[in-house]
Amino acid sequence: MSNKRKKVIMCVVGVCVLSVLIVTWYYPYSFISIHKSYSFTPDPVVVDEYRKDVNEFKRSYEKDFDQLTTGSKYDLTIDFTQYLLPLFEQDWLVSKGPVKMSRKDLDNILFEVKNARKTLLGLITKEDYTQEQRQYLVHSIESLLSLEEEIDTIKTGSAESRKTLKIQFSNLHGSFQSSFMTYEIFYERSQKD
């Protein structure tokens, strides 16, 4: 093979490798990306506020849970909440630093959201709530359905740029916070009787 031909081949290979690297950088979930992951960095002020809200709720909930285990009255809402809390305490939600989000991570998050929705659906059939409490529970289930849709949109958008992914993950982060607040309202209303 001549030197000229080797140089042309090396040049073509170099351009191909460079193209793949550029596509991987700008379109992290594209079908030709090497590492199909995106590094999401949430707003630290938002994370601080969210952590504070979750921790306040947990302190209140833990008192209720202690009374549940020592008291004679059984409350399914209190019992089921222990299975829902991990959904709202995921590392990517409470971390101020960058968190790598691969498609597998999105699958795991989606799995958790679906399980939480099934748990809440179980509450509808097993507990006797007032009309108002039932409405808040339905809103909480609807917010989980919205989360599922948002996660699916991110997972299926293989041609999304980094800029678009930043917006989508920021929106998803906010939707998780909103979903938590919706559940928190339902929980507080369910404990008023």
Side-chain angles (χ1 to χ4, degrees), residues 39-184:
S39 185
F40 171 66
T41 305
D43 181 340
V45 175
V46 172
V47 170
D48 280 341
E49 191 62 35
Y50 179 67
R51 274 188 190 166
K52 185 178 131 199
D53 292 344
V54 169
N55 287 334
E56 283 177 18
F57 177 77
K58 267 183 81 173
R59 280 192 293 277
S60 171
Y61 165 73
E62 286 169 355
K63 289 177 190 172
D64 293 342
F65 190 76
D66 287 343
Q67 290 176 354
L68 176 72
T69 56
T70 58
S72 60
K73 185 182 173 210
Y74 181 74
D75 186 325
L76 201 57
T77 307
I78 294 172
D79 189 27
F80 276 30
T81 297
Q82 67 182 310
Y83 305 113
L84 295 168
L85 272 175
L87 176 69
F88 301 114
E89 295 179 306
Q90 296 177 67
D91 288 340
W92 78 278
L93 291 171
V94 295
S95 173
K96 289 184 187 179
V99 179
K100 285 220 180 250
M101 300 294 284
S102 67
R103 289 195 183 225
K104 184 178 179 187
D105 295 324
L106 288 170
D107 285 336
N108 291 338
I109 293 168
L110 183 60
F111 178 76
E112 293 295 325
V113 171
K114 286 181 177 182
N115 280 342
R117 179 176 47 84
K118 289 174 186 174
T119 299
L120 292 182
L121 286 169
L123 281 175
I124 283 181
T125 60
K126 295 177 183 172
E127 277 290 309
D128 187 29
Y129 294 112
T130 66
Q131 174 94 13
E132 179 192 27
Q133 292 167 341
R134 191 172 292 276
Q135 273 184 318
Y136 284 112
L137 179 55
V138 168
H139 288 308
S140 194
I141 292 169
E142 289 170 347
S143 74
L144 292 175
L145 283 168
S146 293
L147 286 175
E148 289 178 36
E149 290 173 10
E150 282 185 63
I151 295 167
D152 275 334
T153 299
I154 294 171
K155 278 180 47 185
T156 58
S158 61
E160 302 298 349
S161 67
R162 281 188 153 316
K163 183 178 178 182
T164 302
L165 286 172
K166 179 179 181 181
I167 293 167
Q168 287 177 321
F169 275 105
S170 293
N171 289 344
L172 182 62
H173 197 270
S175 295
F176 263 92
Q177 292 172 344
S178 176
S179 186
F180 169 73
M181 290 189 308
T182 303
Y183 182 75
E184 182 180 25

